[in-house]
Amino acid sequence: MVAAKDGEHFVRFKASNGETMVRSENYASKASAKNCIESVKKNAPDAPVEDETASA
C-alpha cells in the first residue's frame, strides 16, 4: 500500500520481475486500501504477498 500525494492510498500489484502489473484506484482511507489487499488475497490465495508498509 502506498500513500498518494493527496493523502489518499492505493495498492500496487507487482509481477515477480518487479514491474507494476496493476495499480488500484485511490482510496480515501487506509482501511479501504487494506480491504482491497484482503480481497485479492481471498480471491487469489496462492499469490505471493509482500507488505511494503512494513518499512513505512
Side-chain angles (χ1 to χ4, degrees):
M1 182 172 19
V2 181
K5 290 180 183 179
D6 61 5
E8 293 190 336
H9 298 84
F10 64 91
V11 179
R12 216 179 333 213
F13 297 97
K14 292 185 178 184
S16 59
N17 66 359
E19 289 188 36
T20 299
M21 295 181 353
V22 177
R23 183 197 181 281
S24 74
E25 62 185 287
N26 281 1
Y27 296 99
S29 72
K30 193 173 188 177
S32 294
K34 285 184 177 185
N35 286 340
C36 174
I37 295 167
E38 292 306 314
S39 176
V40 171
K41 287 167 64 175
K42 176 183 172 188
N43 293 295
D46 297 329
V49 176
E50 181 180 331
D51 184 354
E52 293 181 348
T53 62
S55 61

